Amino acid sequence: MIPGAGPDDSPAGEAAAAPLPRGRHGLSREEVETSQRSRILDAMIAAIDADGYVEATLTDVTGRARVSRKTFYEHFEDKEACFIAAFDDLFADLLAVARSAFDGPGEWPDRLGAALATVLATLQDDRLVARICFVESLTAGPRAARVRNTAMGHFGVLYQPDADGDVTDVDRMTAQMLAGGLADVIYRRLVDPVPVDLRQLLPDLLYPALTMRLGPEDARRTAERLLSRV
């Protein structure tokens, strides 16, 4: 998992966070609620890992989290709301990884290449995060799909070379279109029955973005230079 985003290397079927001790434990109500929420989210991720979102049940989630159904509903409206909270945590970490790479030194093409390579490597290393963010989020219901679409749009910042200057409506539209393409390319590879190393998608994501900004010839030369470093 992306650090801090979900379960650790606990055995399958167990939530990462330990249950609260029985009896008097001296914890505040806030600490108890934080522990419960963390265990429920970890349990949701573990249930998806085992069965997928559609087949995961609240009984499974509460059993893994070692909380009652009443406690679950004190934290989340329903199963979809719980999924959205887990998705938000995982995607926020993924976006932070991308932004960190993008904010590094160099011109925009170099920073874009670094960010895309980092995203793909991160998803390749944790295919469960990839599944939840790009695939399961489309099966979790209409609210989750809307949250997913909004989240994917945040990748648009990577495609705006002049983000610190004047950004036109065309710039924003182009960035959003490229961000949507990124999400679609990754989704299609994840649902393809033939396994693929996600890092191999870098040319597919890099070249179109460079072409729209630099033109085909400069884009080809720049892409070759960037890919030679990876």
Side-chain angles (χ1 to χ4, degrees), residues 20-22 31 65-66 72 76 112 114 150 160 165 176 181 186 193 199 205 220:
L20 294 173
R22 293 182 180 276
E31 290 173 322
R66 301 178 192 178
F72 175 91
F76 301 104
L112 174 65
T150 299
Q160 292 183 6
Q176 289 301 304
I186 294 175
R199 292 170 295 187
L205 298 178
R220 180 184 58 79

Side-chain angles (χ1 to χ4, degrees), residues 108-158:
W108 171 72
D110 301 86
R111 295 187 293 119
L112 174 65
L116 293 178
T118 299
V119 167
L120 293 174
T122 301
L123 296 176
Q124 176 62 27
D125 288 343
D126 198 329
R127 297 298 284 256
L128 178 55
V129 169
R131 268 183 53 210
I132 290 174
C133 289
F134 289 86
V135 180
E136 298 289 348
S137 53
L138 291 175
T139 71
R143 285 176 292 160
R146 288 194 296 271
V147 168
R148 176 194 190 272
N149 290 340
T150 299
M152 295 303 165
H154 292 311
F155 281 125
V157 71
L158 307 179

